[in-house]
Amino acid sequence: MELSIIVPTFNEGGNVDELVRRIGDALGGRSFEVIFVDDSTDDTPDRVLATAQRAPFPVRLRHRESADAGLGGAVLEGFELAAARWCLVMDGDLQHPPEDIARLLDRAAAGDVDVVIASRYASGGDSRGLADATRTAVSRLSTLLTKAMFPRKLATCTDPMTGFFLVDRDAVDLSTLRPRGFKILLEILARRQLRVAEVPFSFAERYAGDSKANLRQGLRFLTQLTMLRFGRMSAFALVGGVGAIANLVIMWGLIRLGMDYLPAAIIASELTIIGNFLLLEYLVFADMRAESGRLWHRFAKSFTFNNLEAIVRIPIMAMLVEGAHVPAVLAAGLTLVAAFIVRFVFHALVVYAPRRALASQSAPEPAEVSGRRTLDA
Ligand code: GDD
Ligand code: MN
């Protein structure tokens, strides 16, 4: 087997037949398989099975019941299932034309590469198929930001966010990948210095169905970037910073509505405590949720800690306001900064203290060291 084609799908029923047909036409004569890693709630799995019956090459289906791991997790699962060493990842909606696969294979065969990327932004490529001007601007800006954060690893890559690429699975340490959301290629490229080549391509219009990209994916991307670049602690700090600002804005708004500053501070604090917990759950610690017990237990711990913090902070703020006549929102700001430092130190030294006894026996957990290991300098 020369090639495994991995297609992550989420409700792409209308695209399956056409995709398999075009792959077959484009790659006739080569030895390859197509693996659909599917999280659909529509008829996509049935369509894949029906197409597999007719196809003159192996078409495999891995259907998963929960879409929790998302697109990135699906691709990772595809790598694990693949029979070939070279894996091609492409979307299931025909925005990645199967006719371009041969050029990727030719580039890989020419040697000296671990990854061949189909780039929209290399000269000769284009991104006309992106839904609209906003999507194009977001794509351009996030590409720029990402390249700035990994100037060396992404030096020869114009499109680290593309979902269309060919990779030598043996060059990638699958166990270090922490797929969050859509950007699996970025995860692969940022973890380890790989030899990257590019082939331009034209990003086409969707054949059928709708895009699954949304604001949540955008947030996940930002978290992924922060974690890859600075490690989990900074993502944690970022969430804390956003929470502190939200806290002040809510408090200011409630005071404007005529509420006394103390109840305003309490309501603002409780709302941000809950908001912060959700951000930690779904962004910063999303990959660790499964192993860390019940949601309610984590919520109870986090809620208790943060309320203790507020119980200390709010009287101090009151002292500043009543005693030192500091304006209420400024006093809240000062105490939030102090509380933030305490919380950061507490989490860094207590909650996430390296488990010394364990560390000497077993290898360090990849998620924790990854921040250091990926330093790009
Ligand atoms: N298994 C699985 N699970 N597949 C998913 C999931 C999921 O949770 N979410 C999306 N997919 C599949 C879709 O069915 C499609 O085949 C592919 O992933 C890409 O999803 P689209 O919804 O078509 O995304 P897009 O076109 O907006 O984004 C594409 O282009 C971006 C570049 O602008 C993707 O290739 C992105 O990875 C890429 O960054
Ligand atoms: Mn698409």
Side-chain angles (χ1 to χ4, degrees):
M1 181 89 48
E2 191 187 343
L3 175 71
S4 292
I5 299 178
I6 297 167
V7 187
T9 44
F10 183 73
N11 296 349
E12 303 289 3
N15 291 312
V16 171
D17 277 336
E18 183 68 5
L19 178 69
V20 171
R21 186 188 66 75
R22 279 175 58 184
I23 290 177
D25 286 352
L27 295 182
R30 297 187 193 249
S31 140
F32 65 94
E33 62 175 355
V34 182
I35 305 173
F36 284 89
V37 187
D38 179 63
D39 293 318
S40 297
T41 51
D42 72 350
D43 65 346
T44 306
D46 302 330
R47 300 286 199 106
V48 172
L49 292 175
T51 308
Q53 302 263 301
R54 295 190 298 267
F57 44 83
V59 174
R60 301 163 61 192
L61 170 69
R62 169 84 178 93
H63 180 71
R64 315 179 310 161
E65 283 306 324
S66 119
D68 231 22
L71 173 51
V75 172
L76 193 58
E77 199 157 338
F79 288 144
E80 277 152 11
L81 296 169
R85 170 171 162 193
W86 283 89
C87 296
L88 179 107
V89 179
M90 71 190 301
D91 290 352
D93 57 1
L94 289 155
Q95 292 197 279
H96 299 151
E99 296 70 27
D100 291 324
I101 298 174
R103 286 189 301 128
L104 294 169
L105 290 172
D106 291 346
R107 178 59 195 86
D112 258 349
V113 287
D114 304 307
V115 192
V116 184
I117 290 168
S119 168
R120 296 162 290 175
Y121 301 128
S123 75
D126 74 67
S127 58
R128 253 168 281 167
L130 274 184
D132 51 35
T134 320
R135 228 1 246 283
T136 310
V138 169
S139 172
R140 284 282 188 180
L141 275 176
S142 46
T143 301
L144 211 67
L145 177 66
T146 310
K147 278 182 67 77
M149 286 181 132
F150 298 96
R152 286 233 317 244
K153 292 207 177 84
L154 302 181
T156 57
C157 174
T158 57
D159 197 356
M161 327 289 227
T162 185
F164 193 14
F165 57 94
L166 176 64
V167 59
D168 174 359
R169 197 185 44 178
D170 290 354
V172 180
D173 186 355
L174 296 184
S175 67
T176 61
L177 301 184
R178 291 286 173 277
R180 275 169 279 262
F182 267 39
K183 311 301 178 188
I184 184 72
L185 176 63
L186 173 62
E187 190 79 22
I188 293 172
L189 296 178
R191 294 277 172 205
R192 181 191 269 189
Q193 183 78 51
L194 294 175
R195 295 168 302 165
V196 179
E198 289 192 329
V199 166
F201 91 107
S202 240
F203 191 67
E205 305 263 347
R206 230 175 198 280
Y207 181 72
D210 302 308
S211 169
K212 281 84 196 174
N214 53 26
L215 191 64
R216 179 154 174 220
Q217 295 300 338
L219 279 177
R220 283 194 174 178
F221 161 67
L222 288 179
T223 320
Q224 179 191 19
L225 207 56
T226 316
M227 301 246 243
L228 279 171
R229 183 68 279 193
F230 306 108
R232 200 182 298 278
M233 273 306 170
S234 323
F236 178 83
L238 196 69
V239 165
V242 169
I245 293 168
N247 192 325
L248 293 180
V249 170
I250 298 169
M251 184 177 160
W252 174 81
L254 291 175
I255 292 175
R256 286 292 300 259
L257 288 175
M259 193 178 276
D260 193 39
Y261 81 96
L262 274 179
I266 293 170
I267 292 175
S269 296
E270 294 305 328
L271 288 179
T272 15
I273 286 171
I274 295 170
N276 269 12
F277 175 73
L278 293 176
L279 286 175
L280 291 179
E281 275 285 299
Y282 291 103
L283 296 176
V284 182
F285 296 113
D287 55 335
M288 291 167 71
R289 254 184 300 154
E291 296 107 72
S292 60
R294 287 163 183 275
L295 176 86
W296 277 110
H297 292 174
R298 291 193 299 275
F299 181 70
K301 279 184 212 155
S302 169
F303 192 72
T304 310
F305 178 85
N306 287 306
N307 270 290
L308 286 177
E309 187 186 283
I311 285 170
V312 177
R313 189 177 68 79
I314 289 178
I316 293 176
M317 181 187 73
M319 266 160 54
L320 286 176
V321 175
E322 314 291 341
H325 302 291
V326 178
V329 173
L330 177 63
L334 290 173
T335 57
L336 278 174
V337 170
F340 179 75
I341 293 168
V342 173
R343 191 184 328 134
F344 190 75
V345 169
F346 178 79
H347 281 83
L349 296 185
V350 181
V351 181
Y352 297 100
R355 288 157 297 172
R356 230 169 271 134
L358 285 176
S360 56
Q361 288 160 18
S362 59
E365 197 188 326
E368 255 70 48
V369 262
S370 59
R372 309 277 113 61
R373 209 192 287 150
T374 56
L375 281 184
D376 198 44

